[in-house]
Amino acid sequence: MRFTELAIDDPTGLIFGTAPKPVTSGRGLTVGGGQVYPELNFTLPTMEVNARTYPEIKEIYRKTVDDVLTRAAALHVEGIVVEFETLLEMTLKPAYGIELTEILVEACERFSARYGMKAEVRLTPNDTRDYERPPRMRNSPYLENMLRLFDEGAKAGATFLSIESTGGKELHDEALVNCDIQGVVYALGVLGVRDMRFLWDQITKIANDRGVIAGGDTACGFANTAMVLAEKQYIPRVFSAVDRAASIPRSLVAYERGARGPDKDCGYEGVFLKAIAGVPISMEGKTAACAHASPVGNVSMAACDLWSNESVQAVHLLGGPAPVVSLEQLAYDVRLLNESIRTRQSLLLRDMLVGSDVSHDPQALILAPDSVIRIARAVVAAGDHLAATFAAVGTALEIIEEAVQDRRLRMDPREEVWVTMVREQLAEIPLNEDAFVEMMQGRIDSGKVLLEEYGL
Amino acid sequence: MRFTELAIDDPTGLIFGTAPKPVTSGRGLTVGGGQVYPELNFTLPTMEVNARTYPEIKEIYRKTVDDVLTRAAALHVEGIVVEFETLLEMTLKPAYGIELTEILVEACERFSARYGMKAEVRLTPNDTRDYERPPRMRNSPYLENMLRLFDEGAKAGATFLSIESTGGKELHDEALVNCDIQGVVYALGVLGVRDMRFLWDQITKIANDRGVIAGGDTACGFANTAMVLAEKQYIPRVFSAVDRAASIPRSLVAYERGARGPDKDCGYEGVFLKAIAGVPISMEGKTAACAHASPVGNVSMAACDLWSNESVQAVHLLGGPAPVVSLEQLAYDVRLLNESIRTRQSLLLRDMLVGSDVSHDPQALILAPDSVIRIARAVVAAGDHLAATFAAVGTALEIIEEAVQDRRLRMDPREEVWVTMVREQLAEIPLNEDAFVEMMQGRIDSGKVLLEEYGL
Amino acid sequence: MSLLTEISEMLQRGKAAEVKSLVQNALDEGTDPRVILEEGLLHGMGVIGEKFKNNEVYVPEVLIAARAMNAGSEILKPHLAGAGVEASGTVILGTVKGDLHDIGKNLVRMMMEGKGLEVIDLGVDVPPEKFLEAALERNADIIACSALLTTTMTEMKNVIETVAGEGHRDRFRIMVGGAPVTESFCKSVGADLYAPDASSAADAAVALCREKRAG
Amino acid sequence: MSLLTEISEMLQRGKAAEVKSLVQNALDEGTDPRVILEEGLLHGMGVIGEKFKNNEVYVPEVLIAARAMNAGSEILKPHLAGAGVEASGTVILGTVKGDLHDIGKNLVRMMMEGKGLEVIDLGVDVPPEKFLEAALERNADIIACSALLTTTMTEMKNVIETVAGEGHRDRFRIMVGGAPVTESFCKSVGADLYAPDASSAADAAVALCREKRAG
Ligand SMILES: [Zn+2]
Ligand SMILES: [Zn+2]
Ligand SMILES: [Zn+2]
């Protein structure tokens, strides 16, 4: 564990707009330096991506980014990040991803020059290694093109590099639907951590070579899958909450390996990373309802430095293109945050945002600044990533149990038995990686998980 | 003028969640009684409305309202208004509108019974008299079916009755694109006022007979058209701002004739009506970006009692049906407002909402509580509706001029000349209805406006 | 300043009376009516149209210029007819059936006229047959349909089907526009062109007419 | 409590070992294997499925019950084959090409098996031809396609076209599902049925098979 102390050790210091280690782009956009900015992501309407449709796709990107930045200028938005999260085909064929990056960068440059706006592109190639079962994390035939897109995209002018990497997901999916906390800890705290090290050494090298900024990685395929399953009432909310906690050490690895932030929007574990590593973070909540429902619509805003819509398809709504609608909503959200900073009332606003959500759901509760600092403290106090994952889950469970006891948290009675079950299963995990690997050996289906691809 | 004093005469008292005269529904939903609730409106995706498509339309309404209320229950929403704004064909053929009202009412009852949620329907027939040129406001062949829909919809269980009536619109459209303030004052302060009296006597009678609540009327076709034109840079923003002010006496007439609120969402003039008549109001802002862009995304929240998405088509987004997405966004907005009330910080939050917008646009500036009380005071001090319309425009202009002078308002230099022009044209209006009618006589195209339909 | 430049300038400032008398002066001086039209009136409207496109002037300023242009055209028209000059294209314009919105449509008309096109404005709530009838009668180049409602935009399909049903689809170019209309909607109903705003509608109409008359 | 009720109860509680031995007991007692299947195993899964539909139990509880059912089925299968009993329908299930999401699909399989259908799970990233091949080989009633991405849901159309292209469209019912799929998408690609969740997918599949085998 590189981080053994907290960058923010008092809940009061964990607040939107300010990070201990702000990041400044080439055009002068400072994230975490006292202001919040919107981060806007859009994707294609329902359509195939291939050589035949590609000319139309380029037009959609070109027009949409122009529409979005035009509206941003009209609303006097001073800084913005446009996230380009690629679709499979755009990473398989990096030429697509690179050219689309160029289109977005050109628009950002043009609007920055014309309106004095600071607009930057975040490039997020998807983790194509996951498009093969079982995935070969280190020897994937897809790895080369994925890294090429990072490299050439950075060359094309992308300012921030991010990914939602998937190491361990092949095991985690099954652990989730079985509410198997041992599987979760193994997938995130052993496999995920190992793969993050492997991958982020390469991404930070590319960023450094190209002079751009390594943004960070989210456990989207893990803890957000859990959140979606919990919203559908497929798994208990408490399980999703501890799954989020379990993702912290895994996502922290990017910063141990040289990433600087801003952490990507869909990682709600970003608040913990901000407390631990001091990096600025992008967050998403109610204004990302266009992409998914969530139980953390307001509390997720409490410590954001960028505020994002996650992703919206470029379809038409009554008010215009859906990405422009998202931009407008984000811009007003951000205006409110910045006005509270200007009038020195930001802590009050933060506490309202937090207070409005925490009693409704354990997933919201663990994102409250008090909880974040307490869990983060347990993480940095642990000796290694496995112990840290274990400690994060255990501390999250404690926080939830206390709140239920004090009647500060509404919890479905059906959930209670799961708190006990998770606690019991957790207690069986040996805090030694070798021993844990040994223990899990019999439960791993070698047709689904290739341990050697994690150096095991 | 029935109201000669302000119900709220101090800007501090103009705040979300509380109205001097709250309104309580049969199921016990109190609007303006200390809490804010969401108001959700959805409409069909792009499709024709006819006998062939009607079965599918019913299914869409049935399924969508269920999806929306399911999500509302999951988010612990305690009260909600579902607005049903009819499409032309549903008013022309009241049987459609009535049956769809029944579908919505049935869902509201079912969810209210199952979750202890208080869900109510607002029925808003569209003003079909406008579907004929020139419109015959009093002798329209469409009038009967429109009133029948009000009556039978109330019988079917709609709790609130509203409309966006259009008296004077046939003149106002042209006045807008010509930036003709005399035409605007005539359309709203003379024709609009006269038609509101004619129409609202009938609507309040229906509401009283059926034991339901007359909600109010918005100048949507007037001042929101102006706002849209201003956003497109077709007309100056300052013109749209004074057009909003000019709509106040016109929309006030509903309350003079017995309506009780909540005023309808898309009337941003609602804040003035709350100050004058003390009625609770629905407002819309950033979360209605799905329906239209606006320069008042946050300030419009400052005094809302219901918070609305205006309208969204029942299309599919990544996160699910767009109406459910809207509901989720509204629910979190409302949670924040109510949390500030719970912690007695609501005035602080209100001031942040206001402060975040007012320097950006004159249309936002005149919705700030200080401006609202000042303009409302000028309205109630005027002897009649024409004088009140005149006073509202004049006072709004003053407020804008002062703010520009004090550099509290960003204004495009192109706009300045229009402030002067409006002031000059305004000064020419005689404050006597007969004289004004006389003066405008020569400018009214009798092929477009039938004055006798306004009792002139 | 030359008389033609003066006409253009006065038109841009919306001075109808001045434009009228200047056009008369130019005719009296023997200037070719086509030159007065092109380098005076249309030049002035071109400048205003460009400014509008670039958000430098508002609609009321365009409207007042358009009225000045009409004043000048009144004087010029008999002379143009005599010189055998005809419009560069004819457009049938209207808001579709069931839809009574006309602010956007009126703007499109103005912009098109400012580009020298002849525009037959059928008004609002126009049934499909009426579009076709007028197009045949005026031997038009373009049928342009406007809609503001998501429930009426589907009427555009009916217009196209009516034109096609009578076997005239190849004869007219069909343009669509209005707030809810998109490029993909345009394609899906089989229209020829979608224009996102009034200025580009006018530009596109001119290009369509040129292309149609050439090919 | 009768043996059959006990099988159903133990299955609901996910007790695989108990279910296994109870099924054996029932066979030993000479109970008709069809009755054990219907009134023991399928009854228990039916209860669990209903509870899941009503949000009374979570997926892990359904999974554990399904495992218990499989344990019981293992014992029962040879006897059923002997009695000439066949499944009430056969479903070819898979996530479409380019899409590797399987959580939803696996749930659907479980729910369908719990209704007594035979499910051939082709896994993820399944090309159109493979769906058809399997359906022909197993003489299936239904082809059920899952997709989680807006870019891959269009693959469903390819599945339908492949089946139709080979002249087999009438032979199989085609179901579609997954987060981005809607009723109107289902119609637009010409599928027979859209199911919004795993439980209703299973119910619908049973009904489709019954209808197909009847008609
Ligand atoms: Zn994500
Ligand atoms: Zn409205
Ligand atoms: Zn509305």
Side-chain angles (χ1 to χ4, degrees):
Chain A
M1 298 276 294
R2 183 182 134 194
F3 299 99
T4 54
E5 284 181 4
L6 295 182
I8 300 172
D9 59 8
D10 179 347
T12 312
L14 187 66
I15 190 161
F16 52 80
T18 300
K21 297 181 193 158
V23 166
T24 300
S25 75
R27 263 190 283 285
L29 181 74
T30 300
V31 183
Q35 290 280 292
V36 181
Y37 300 101
E39 175 159 8
L40 191 286
N41 174 315
F42 64 88
T43 188
L44 294 174
T46 301
M47 66 188 295
E48 290 177 61
V49 181
N50 54 41
R52 186 181 52 77
T53 58
Y54 183 64
E56 189 188 342
I57 289 169
K58 280 200 289 186
E59 262 318 292
I60 292 172
Y61 273 84
R62 210 185 300 274
K63 188 172 173 333
T64 305
V65 69
D66 261 50
D67 287 347
V68 164
L69 294 177
T70 298
R71 188 65 195 150
L75 288 172
H76 310 146
V77 168
E78 290 171 10
I80 182 173
V81 174
V82 176
E83 187 193 20
F84 174 36
E85 212 171 329
T86 64
L87 296 166
L88 175 61
E89 297 78 359
M90 301 167 184
T91 314
L92 290 182
K93 195 171 164 138
Y96 286 175
I98 295 161
E99 195 179 18
L100 295 172
T101 303
E102 282 166 358
I103 286 172
L104 298 178
V105 167
E106 185 279 323
C108 285
E109 283 170 351
R110 183 160 33 86
F111 276 80
S112 296
R114 182 158 171 196
Y115 296 100
M117 169 196 280
K118 289 158 192 161
E120 305 285 357
V121 171
R122 182 201 294 266
L123 171 61
T124 306
N126 49 340
D127 189 349
T128 40
R129 298 173 304 168
D130 187 43
Y131 279 84
E132 181 185 49
R133 292 293 157 82
R136 284 174 281 171
M137 304 315 284
R138 302 193 176 179
N139 297 293
S140 170
Y142 299 114
L143 192 57
E144 190 188 323
N145 273 345
M146 184 174 125
L147 293 172
R148 197 181 136 218
L149 177 54
F150 272 113
D151 187 50
E152 301 257 343
K155 188 178 156 203
T159 303
F160 305 108
L161 304 184
S162 280
I163 190 167
E164 307 180 350
S165 73
T166 58
K169 185 172 179 339
E170 67 278 35
L171 178 65
H172 187 268
D173 273 1
E174 209 162 311
L176 266 191
V177 288
N178 284 291
C179 288
D180 164 15
I181 194 68
Q182 296 174 357
V184 161
V185 172
Y186 192 74
L188 286 163
V190 177
L191 303 184
V193 163
R194 286 169 163 267
D195 185 57
M196 286 285 289
R197 286 188 195 125
F198 165 77
L199 191 63
W200 276 91
D201 280 346
Q202 300 180 67
I203 298 172
T204 50
K205 181 171 186 316
I206 290 170
N208 291 337
D209 289 352
R210 290 287 181 198
V212 306
I213 300 165
D217 194 315
T218 72
C220 181
F222 304 85
N224 289 0
T225 302
M227 189 173 73
V228 169
L229 294 177
E231 283 306 318
K232 286 174 177 264
Q233 308 202 42
Y234 282 5
I235 62 172
R237 291 165 182 275
V238 64
F239 199 84
S240 172
V242 300
D243 192 63
R244 177 72 60 194
S247 75
I248 301 166
R250 171 255 176 225
S251 293
L252 185 63
V253 172
Y255 302 102
E256 296 181 320
R257 298 293 161 147
R260 294 165 50 204
D263 194 51
K264 209 179 114 56
D265 53 0
C266 62
Y268 293 98
E269 70 272 20
V271 283
F272 302 94
L273 309 181
K274 183 169 177 173
I276 296 170
V279 294
I281 61 175
S282 187
M283 292 288 281
E284 61 188 46
K286 64 180 169 191
T287 316
C290 52
H292 61 80
S294 95
V296 294
N298 285 334
V299 67
S300 58
M301 207 186 232
C304 71
D305 302 297
L306 296 172
W307 178 239
S308 158
N309 71 328
E310 153 98 276
S311 183
V312 70
Q313 286 188 292
V315 297
H316 202 76
L317 298 174
L318 296 170
V324 178
V325 169
S326 269
L327 181 278
E328 171 132 353
Q329 296 179 332
L330 294 172
Y332 280 108
D333 288 343
V334 164
R335 267 194 193 177
L336 177 64
L337 298 178
N338 289 337
E339 174 69 8
S340 80
I341 293 172
R342 194 184 68 81
T343 57
R344 299 174 185 279
Q345 307 285 2
S346 54
L347 205 57
L348 260 162
L349 178 57
R350 185 203 72 168
D351 287 345
M352 290 178 208
L353 288 165
V354 172
S356 73
D357 281 350
V358 286
S359 67
H360 292 279
D361 196 293
Q363 299 162 89
L365 177 68
I366 67 155
L367 296 188
D370 284 348
S371 313
V372 170
I373 299 301
R374 188 165 152 194
I375 295 169
R377 198 169 281 147
V379 167
V380 293
D384 61 26
H385 289 80
L386 172 57
T389 307
F390 179 90
V393 171
T395 310
L397 262 189
E398 268 170 37
I399 291 170
I400 294 166
E401 284 176 309
E402 289 169 13
V404 172
Q405 237 157 36
D406 302 352
R407 299 173 175 275
R408 281 181 288 112
L409 175 64
R410 273 173 86 148
M411 195 193 246
D412 193 313
R414 283 190 300 152
E415 298 243 342
E416 281 162 30
V417 55
W418 294 94
V419 177
T420 318
M421 195 168 308
V422 169
R423 187 161 282 302
E424 285 170 9
Q425 286 190 12
L426 188 69
E428 292 170 10
I429 298 177
L431 288 190
N432 167 296
E433 202 187 71
D434 291 342
F436 192 27
V437 170
E438 172 84 28
M439 165 181 158
M440 296 295 284
Q441 203 70 44
R443 283 169 49 190
I444 305 282
D445 179 344
S446 62
K448 288 189 176 163
V449 186
L450 305 175
L451 290 182
E452 63 274 24
E453 291 286 330
Y454 296 92
L456 282 169
Chain B
M1 300 275 294
R2 182 181 135 194
F3 298 98
T4 54
E5 285 180 5
L6 296 182
I8 301 171
D9 59 7
D10 179 346
T12 311
L14 188 66
I15 190 161
F16 50 81
T18 302
K21 298 180 192 159
V23 166
T24 300
S25 75
R27 261 190 285 283
L29 180 74
T30 300
V31 184
Q35 290 280 292
V36 180
Y37 301 100
E39 177 160 8
L40 190 285
N41 175 315
F42 65 87
T43 189
L44 294 173
T46 300
M47 66 188 295
E48 290 178 61
V49 181
N50 55 41
R52 188 180 51 77
T53 59
Y54 183 63
E56 189 188 343
I57 289 170
K58 280 200 289 187
E59 263 318 291
I60 293 172
Y61 273 85
R62 212 185 299 272
K63 187 171 174 332
T64 305
V65 69
D66 261 50
D67 288 347
V68 164
L69 293 177
T70 299
R71 188 65 194 150
L75 289 171
H76 310 143
V77 168
E78 290 170 10
I80 182 173
V81 174
V82 176
E83 187 193 20
F84 174 36
E85 213 171 329
T86 64
L87 295 167
L88 175 61
E89 297 77 0
M90 301 167 185
T91 313
L92 291 181
K93 195 171 163 137
Y96 286 175
I98 294 161
E99 195 180 20
L100 295 173
T101 303
E102 283 166 356
I103 287 171
L104 299 178
V105 168
E106 185 278 324
C108 285
E109 283 171 352
R110 183 160 31 88
F111 276 80
S112 295
R114 183 160 169 194
Y115 296 100
M117 168 196 281
K118 290 157 192 161
E120 305 284 357
V121 170
R122 183 202 293 267
L123 171 62
T124 306
N126 49 339
D127 189 349
T128 40
R129 298 173 302 168
D130 187 43
Y131 279 84
E132 182 185 47
R133 292 292 155 82
R136 285 174 280 171
M137 305 315 285
R138 301 193 177 180
N139 299 293
S140 170
Y142 300 114
L143 192 55
E144 191 188 322
N145 272 346
M146 185 174 124
L147 293 173
R148 197 180 136 219
L149 177 54
F150 272 114
D151 187 50
E152 302 256 343
K155 187 176 155 205
T159 303
F160 305 109
L161 304 183
S162 280
I163 190 168
E164 305 178 352
S165 73
T166 58
K169 186 173 179 338
E170 67 278 35
L171 179 66
H172 186 268
D173 273 2
E174 209 162 310
L176 266 191
V177 288
N178 285 292
C179 287
D180 164 15
I181 193 68
Q182 296 173 356
V184 161
V185 172
Y186 192 74
L188 286 163
V190 177
L191 303 184
V193 164
R194 285 170 162 267
D195 186 57
M196 287 285 289
R197 285 186 196 127
F198 166 79
L199 191 63
W200 276 91
D201 279 346
Q202 301 179 67
I203 298 172
T204 49
K205 180 168 186 320
I206 290 170
N208 292 338
D209 289 352
R210 289 288 181 197
V212 306
I213 301 165
D217 194 314
T218 72
C220 182
F222 304 84
N224 289 2
T225 302
M227 189 173 72
V228 169
L229 294 177
E231 282 307 316
K232 285 174 179 263
Q233 307 202 43
Y234 282 5
I235 63 171
R237 289 164 183 276
V238 65
F239 198 84
S240 172
V242 299
D243 192 63
R244 176 72 60 195
S247 76
I248 302 166
R250 171 255 177 227
S251 293
L252 186 62
V253 172
Y255 302 102
E256 297 181 319
R257 298 291 162 150
R260 295 164 51 205
D263 194 51
K264 209 180 112 58
D265 53 0
C266 62
Y268 292 98
E269 70 273 21
V271 284
F272 302 95
L273 309 181
K274 183 170 177 172
I276 295 171
V279 294
I281 60 175
S282 186
M283 292 288 281
E284 62 187 46
K286 64 180 169 190
T287 316
C290 51
H292 61 80
S294 93
V296 295
N298 285 333
V299 68
S300 58
M301 209 186 231
C304 71
D305 301 297
L306 295 171
W307 179 239
S308 159
N309 72 327
E310 154 97 278
S311 185
V312 71
Q313 288 188 292
V315 296
H316 202 76
L317 299 174
L318 295 171
V324 179
V325 169
S326 269
L327 181 279
E328 172 133 353
Q329 296 179 332
L330 293 172
Y332 280 107
D333 287 344
V334 164
R335 267 193 193 176
L336 177 63
L337 298 179
N338 289 337
E339 173 69 6
S340 81
I341 292 172
R342 194 183 69 79
T343 56
R344 299 174 187 279
Q345 306 286 0
S346 55
L347 205 58
L348 259 161
L349 177 58
R350 186 202 72 170
D351 287 345
M352 290 178 208
L353 288 164
V354 172
S356 73
D357 281 350
V358 286
S359 67
H360 292 279
D361 195 293
Q363 299 164 89
L365 177 68
I366 67 154
L367 297 188
D370 285 347
S371 312
V372 170
I373 300 302
R374 188 165 152 195
I375 294 169
R377 199 169 281 147
V379 167
V380 293
D384 60 24
H385 290 79
L386 173 58
T389 308
F390 179 90
V393 171
T395 310
L397 262 189
E398 268 170 37
I399 290 170
I400 294 165
E401 285 176 310
E402 289 168 14
V404 172
Q405 237 156 36
D406 301 353
R407 298 173 177 274
R408 281 181 289 111
L409 175 65
R410 274 173 84 146
M411 194 194 247
D412 193 313
R414 284 189 300 152
E415 298 243 343
E416 282 161 28
V417 55
W418 293 93
V419 178
T420 319
M421 195 167 308
V422 170
R423 187 161 282 301
E424 286 170 8
Q425 286 189 14
L426 188 70
E428 290 170 10
I429 298 176
L431 287 190
N432 167 298
E433 201 187 71
D434 291 342
F436 192 27
V437 171
E438 173 85 28
M439 166 180 158
M440 294 296 284
Q441 204 68 43
R443 284 169 48 190
I444 305 283
D445 179 343
S446 62
K448 288 189 176 165
V449 186
L450 305 175
L451 290 183
E452 63 273 23
E453 293 286 331
Y454 295 92
L456 281 169
Chain C
M1 203 188 311
S2 89
L3 211 45
L4 293 171
T5 313
E6 220 176 327
I7 290 173
S8 167
E9 299 265 321
M10 283 297 158
L11 184 149
Q12 291 171 47
R13 289 165 56 195
K15 306 282 186 190
E18 284 83 344
V19 169
K20 240 167 149 167
S21 66
L22 287 168
V23 168
Q24 191 57 60
N25 289 356
L27 284 170
D28 294 346
E29 280 187 6
T31 315
D32 183 336
R34 270 173 298 198
V35 174
I36 299 175
L37 178 68
E38 291 288 340
E39 294 174 28
L41 299 178
L42 291 180
H43 178 271
M45 272 311 283
V47 173
I48 276 286
E50 201 58 28
K51 281 189 175 168
F52 178 65
K53 205 170 170 173
N54 297 329
N55 295 325
E56 290 166 34
V57 297
Y58 295 111
V59 169
E61 296 162 270
V62 183
L63 279 170
I64 205 169
R67 283 193 284 265
M69 159 142 164
N70 287 342
S73 296
E74 287 304 311
I75 309 290
L76 210 56
K77 246 182 204 158
H79 302 272
L80 286 170
V85 174
E86 49 174 40
S88 54
T90 302
V91 181
I92 307 298
L93 176 69
T95 303
V96 297
K97 195 174 146 195
D99 200 323
L100 284 95
H101 292 89
D102 61 4
I103 292 180
K105 171 194 64 75
N106 293 348
L107 210 55
V108 169
R109 184 189 62 219
M110 214 165 55
M111 290 294 164
M112 287 181 169
E113 287 175 345
K115 296 273 172 192
L117 296 169
E118 185 184 17
V119 181
I120 318 299
D121 186 347
L122 304 178
V124 295
D125 191 21
V126 180
E129 311 75 44
K130 224 175 138 188
F131 277 106
L132 176 58
E133 206 180 287
L136 290 169
E137 192 185 309
R138 306 299 291 247
N139 191 23
D141 301 281
I142 294 176
I143 296 174
C145 310
S146 161
L148 204 81
L149 302 174
T150 52
T151 43
T152 55
M153 63 194 276
T154 53
E155 272 294 327
M156 292 174 167
K157 201 174 163 206
N158 295 339
V159 173
I160 293 164
E161 281 170 2
T162 301
V163 173
E166 302 284 318
H168 300 298
R169 185 64 189 84
D170 291 343
R171 194 163 155 193
F172 309 111
R173 299 287 183 273
I174 301 183
M175 289 176 63
V176 293
V181 181
T182 60
E183 179 69 46
S184 73
F185 177 81
C186 166
K187 275 185 195 158
S188 77
V189 296
D192 296 308
L193 202 123
Y194 157 71
D197 57 68
S199 302
S200 48
D203 289 343
V206 169
L208 266 187
C209 289
R210 190 173 302 136
E211 176 197 308
K212 178 166 179 277
R213 293 187 171 196
Chain D
M1 204 187 310
S2 87
L3 211 45
L4 293 171
T5 312
E6 219 176 327
I7 290 174
S8 167
E9 299 266 319
M10 283 299 156
L11 184 149
Q12 291 171 47
R13 289 164 57 197
K15 306 282 185 189
E18 283 83 344
V19 169
K20 238 166 148 168
S21 65
L22 288 168
V23 167
Q24 190 58 57
N25 289 356
L27 285 170
D28 294 347
E29 283 187 5
T31 315
D32 183 336
R34 271 173 297 197
V35 174
I36 299 176
L37 178 67
E38 291 288 340
E39 294 175 28
L41 300 178
L42 291 181
H43 178 271
M45 271 312 284
V47 174
I48 275 286
E50 202 57 29
K51 281 189 178 170
F52 178 64
K53 206 168 170 175
N54 297 329
N55 294 326
E56 289 166 35
V57 297
Y58 295 109
V59 170
E61 295 162 273
V62 183
L63 280 170
I64 204 169
R67 282 194 283 265
M69 158 142 165
N70 288 342
S73 298
E74 287 303 311
I75 308 290
L76 209 55
K77 246 181 204 160
H79 302 272
L80 287 170
V85 174
E86 50 173 38
S88 55
T90 303
V91 181
I92 306 298
L93 176 69
T95 303
V96 297
K97 195 175 147 192
D99 200 324
L100 284 94
H101 292 91
D102 60 4
I103 292 180
K105 172 192 64 73
N106 293 348
L107 211 54
V108 169
R109 183 188 64 219
M110 213 165 55
M111 290 294 165
M112 287 180 168
E113 288 176 344
K115 297 272 175 192
L117 296 170
E118 187 186 16
V119 181
I120 317 299
D121 186 345
L122 303 179
V124 296
D125 191 23
V126 180
E129 310 75 45
K130 223 174 139 189
F131 277 106
L132 176 57
E133 206 179 288
L136 290 169
E137 192 184 309
R138 307 300 291 248
N139 191 23
D141 301 281
I142 294 176
I143 295 174
C145 310
S146 162
L148 204 83
L149 302 174
T150 54
T151 43
T152 55
M153 64 194 274
T154 53
E155 272 293 328
M156 292 174 166
K157 202 174 163 203
N158 295 340
V159 174
I160 293 163
E161 282 170 1
T162 301
V163 173
E166 302 284 320
H168 300 298
R169 185 66 188 85
D170 291 343
R171 193 164 154 192
F172 308 112
R173 299 288 183 274
I174 301 183
M175 289 176 65
V176 294
V181 180
T182 61
E183 179 68 47
S184 73
F185 177 81
C186 166
K187 277 185 195 158
S188 77
V189 296
D192 296 308
L193 201 124
Y194 156 70
D197 58 69
S199 301
S200 48
D203 289 342
V206 169
L208 266 188
C209 288
R210 192 172 301 140
E211 176 198 309
K212 180 166 178 279
R213 294 187 170 196

